[in-house]
Amino acid sequence: MTKEFAVPPVVFPSGGNPGAASGNIQQRRVATAPFQPSTSSLSFIPFDIGPAVGSSSSSAGIYGGGPIGGGPAPGNVNFEDEEPLLDELGIHPDQIWKKTKSVLNPFRVNPAVHKDSDLSGPILLYMALCLFQLLAGKIQFGVILGWIVVSSIFLYVVFNMLAGRNGNLDLHTCTSVVGYCMLPVVILAAVSLFVPQVGAVRFAVAAVFVLWATRVCTGLMVSLADGGDEHRGLISYAALLIYTLFSLLVIF
Amino acid sequence: MYNNVGAQPGVPRPPAISQPNPFGDTFYGAGSGLIRGGLGAYGEKILGSSSEYVQSNISRYFSDPQYYFQVNDQYVRNKLKVVLFPFLHRGHWTRITEPVGGRLSYKPPIYDINAPDLYIPFMAFGTYVVLAGFSLGLQGKFSPEALNWLFIKGLLGWFLQVSLLKLTLLSLGSGEAPLLDIVAYGGYCFTGLCVAILGRILFGYSYYFLMPWTCLCMGIFLVKTMKRVLFAEVRSYDSSRHHYLLLFIALAQFPLFTWLGITSVNWFI
């Protein structure tokens, strides 16, 4: 039973028959690779000017066609040509997972995985920490975020001042490392939901996790940036202060 | 796999590592980068005059901060011993000078145990905040706002200590010691304070012994240090005034430490 629609039917560029539709699906799968040269100049250009940019042959045909489904303006970026959302945002889940897994082992530091610093993993860990704190009855979203920012600036200043002339840590890498090494604190927050509120067990458990976080943080900082080797102990004390501060939030 | 996608700058990503940014450059290399890059630029905007003028003024008040961070493990250990047990320090208290570029300048802390540094004061301040927060938590009164309050209180105590030393110097007619030196000397008080608070956490009553002890040690340390500083800076040597002021510095440690040692969210209680 057909209905009358006011919207004109979708017009596929190669003629609108199922054969051309499957051709489009083929193009969609490889949309990322041929699309690369054109987006390099697309950074802040509004979508109207899209077709003015030189594009590869497969995209040219698509631009030549009409709007898709009565879209906003003729000749803008097609849905098939857009990158996957996560890639466009710069969030790479498998990379986040790899980095998080590398923090799990306190005895072997793996700096190769952390060479490309990103902030999306730390944001996920921050949300997880806030969630566990929420389960404990403490609403501390702003506090934890502020403390992460301040402590990464603190560690950045201390590291670069100690390393002197050959220090080349930058703030992005510093924040990324501090954020990923919050994983033990997140686990502490989860565990402390079940540990009794009074008693020395709480402090002992917290001490273990804080030392774990400090060890991983120091190992990563020293291997990711130059100039930190001879100041390992000094940098690890600064990291110890930072993670003790966060564990105070969790314990009390 | 993500290498291709990572090359696209159209994606909203945080700036790449290779991009120069003013705050990144200021902390690379020597601290003069901080003055030239960061403060010089802002000074020009604010004052509207040439950056040379601002730069020279700022250099006069803020000597190169990187000098104070040239430390290593061994220096930190020995300096802690000197600060906490100053009466055990067998050597002299004067700083070693070396001729650098025609002027006499002091050797950096790695080579000279008597040189002030800023690493220990900053770490001691951080430890004070953490330990005070811990002792607040043991009393059941911990909250993030309380920790902020302790931070501000510690900063105020540091400021009071620095102003005490600076006023002493000024009243003797010389204010020429670099500001960061005075800040460093003022910050050493937090080491003794941390020891006292740690003692209070571990054994409740040991605080009443440790606190006067660390006050005394800090007083001795400051007296010995300021004596050398005053000898180096002041032109006219007026013995009795010197000694009264040094005694005053040592005695003023007691109320300061007592106030800083009260870890609570109120001013005095």
Side-chain angles (χ1 to χ4, degrees):
Chain A
M1 179 154 170
T2 58
K3 284 185 167 185
E4 292 299 322
F5 288 106
V7 177
V10 172
V11 174
F12 285 110
S14 10
N17 47 24
S22 65
N24 263 352
I25 292 174
Q26 291 286 62
Q27 283 165 339
R28 185 195 319 227
R29 248 185 243 128
V30 297
T32 50
F35 205 55
Q36 281 185 7
S38 51
T39 47
S40 56
S41 43
L42 258 189
S43 32
F44 294 108
I45 302 177
F47 283 145
D48 315 314
I49 317 184
V53 177
S55 43
S56 53
S57 54
S58 56
S59 332
I62 295 173
Y63 282 139
I68 296 266
N76 36 342
V77 180
N78 276 1
F79 181 68
E80 292 95 16
D81 282 338
E82 284 178 8
E83 323 161 51
L85 178 65
L86 281 185
D87 284 343
E88 184 150 347
L89 289 175
I91 301 176
H92 314 291
D94 57 335
Q95 197 196 10
I96 295 179
W97 177 238
K98 257 191 278 193
K99 287 188 184 177
T100 313
K101 257 199 317 193
S102 80
V103 174
L104 277 177
N105 182 0
F107 298 111
R108 200 163 44 109
V109 162
N110 187 2
V113 174
H114 285 264
K115 271 241 180 303
D116 298 321
S117 52
D118 76 311
L119 287 182
S120 37
I123 290 192
L124 280 176
L125 286 174
Y126 155 73
M127 293 304 293
L129 179 62
C130 292
L131 175 72
F132 287 124
Q133 287 291 84
L134 201 59
L135 286 176
K138 310 170 202 168
I139 306 181
Q140 288 166 347
F141 286 84
V143 166
I144 298 180
L145 186 63
W147 285 14
I148 288 183
V149 171
V150 167
S151 56
S152 67
I153 292 180
F154 170 73
L155 198 56
Y156 166 75
V157 167
V158 167
F159 188 96
N160 276 331
M161 283 297 195
L162 281 177
R165 227 163 269 279
N166 16 343
N168 66 349
L169 185 70
D170 65 321
L171 195 53
H172 193 249
T173 311
C174 185
T175 312
S176 172
V177 167
V178 167
Y180 273 111
C181 296
M182 291 282 279
L183 177 69
V185 180
V186 173
I187 300 180
L188 171 69
V191 163
S192 73
L193 289 173
F194 302 105
V195 173
Q197 192 82 0
V198 292
V201 179
R202 217 171 162 85
F203 303 129
V205 166
V208 167
F209 284 103
V210 164
L211 288 174
W212 171 8
T214 310
R215 194 190 157 98
V216 180
C217 185
T218 321
L220 280 177
M221 296 285 261
V222 163
S223 48
L224 279 179
D226 303 330
D229 276 336
E230 58 265 15
H231 302 115
R232 221 189 152 97
L234 304 179
I235 293 170
S236 66
Y237 187 71
L240 180 76
L241 277 184
I242 292 175
Y243 291 112
T244 316
L245 208 59
F246 283 106
S247 71
L248 280 185
L249 273 185
V250 173
I251 304 176
F252 294 115
Chain B
M1 174 273 261
Y2 72 94
N3 284 333
N4 288 336
V5 187
Q8 302 180 25
V11 170
R13 289 169 60 93
I17 293 176
S18 56
Q19 273 183 15
N21 53 330
F23 286 107
D25 283 334
T26 55
F27 285 114
Y28 287 16
S32 54
L34 170 72
I35 297 169
R36 225 179 306 123
L39 297 180
Y42 283 120
E44 188 159 1
K45 270 191 223 149
I46 295 170
L47 292 185
S49 53
S50 80
S51 66
E52 306 296 325
Y53 174 73
V54 176
Q55 194 178 310
S56 65
N57 271 352
I58 290 186
S59 308
R60 186 148 44 102
Y61 293 127
F62 250 146
S63 55
D64 179 16
Q66 222 271 311
Y67 164 86
Y68 298 94
F69 279 93
Q70 288 170 348
V71 294
N72 60 359
D73 274 348
Q74 191 198 16
Y75 169 84
V76 169
R77 251 181 307 184
N78 290 338
K79 188 74 176 188
L80 279 177
K81 274 193 273 192
V82 167
V83 170
L84 291 175
F85 307 107
F87 39 84
L88 290 180
H89 183 61
R90 291 287 161 231
H92 56 86
W93 287 76
T94 48
R95 289 168 73 177
I96 310 173
T97 58
E98 60 179 356
V100 162
R103 302 181 38 194
L104 274 187
S105 75
Y106 291 115
K107 276 201 173 155
I110 309 186
Y111 304 116
D112 181 12
I113 190 65
N114 294 316
D117 72 307
L118 276 179
Y119 175 81
I120 295 181
F122 273 114
M123 292 302 136
F125 181 72
T127 314
Y128 163 72
V129 172
V130 167
L131 281 179
F134 195 78
S135 76
L136 257 194
L138 285 179
Q139 296 163 19
K141 295 190 277 200
F142 181 84
S143 78
E145 291 75 24
L147 210 63
N148 292 341
W149 173 248
L150 284 171
F151 181 81
I152 299 291
K153 192 168 161 180
L155 270 187
L156 193 62
W158 198 343
F159 176 75
L160 283 176
Q161 179 89 313
V162 166
S163 54
L164 169 77
L165 293 175
K166 191 77 180 171
L167 283 176
T168 314
L169 275 184
L170 279 178
S171 74
L172 284 171
S174 96
E176 308 250 330
L179 181 64
L180 284 183
D181 271 14
I182 310 283
V183 168
Y185 292 134
Y188 283 125
C189 74
F190 286 104
T191 45
L193 204 52
C194 287
V195 169
I197 295 187
L198 188 63
R200 182 165 70 183
I201 291 176
L202 292 177
F203 295 110
Y205 291 114
S206 68
Y207 179 71
Y208 297 107
F209 163 69
L210 276 178
M211 183 56 92
W213 174 259
T214 53
C215 283
L216 206 60
C217 289
M218 188 64 194
I220 297 176
F221 172 78
L222 276 182
V223 159
K224 290 216 153 107
T225 314
M226 295 310 287
K227 200 155 82 162
R228 295 294 160 199
V229 171
L230 288 179
F231 277 161
E233 305 286 343
V234 171
R235 315 280 167 246
S236 73
Y237 177 54
D238 186 3
S239 169
S240 63
R241 259 188 92 190
H242 268 186
H243 290 159
Y244 281 137
L245 281 175
L246 289 175
L247 197 60
F248 175 66
I249 291 178
L251 286 180
Q253 300 304 303
F254 283 87
L256 186 70
F257 271 48
T258 317
W259 179 60
L260 282 176
I262 300 176
T263 54
S264 76
V265 284
N266 307 313
W267 272 112
F268 286 115
I269 314 174

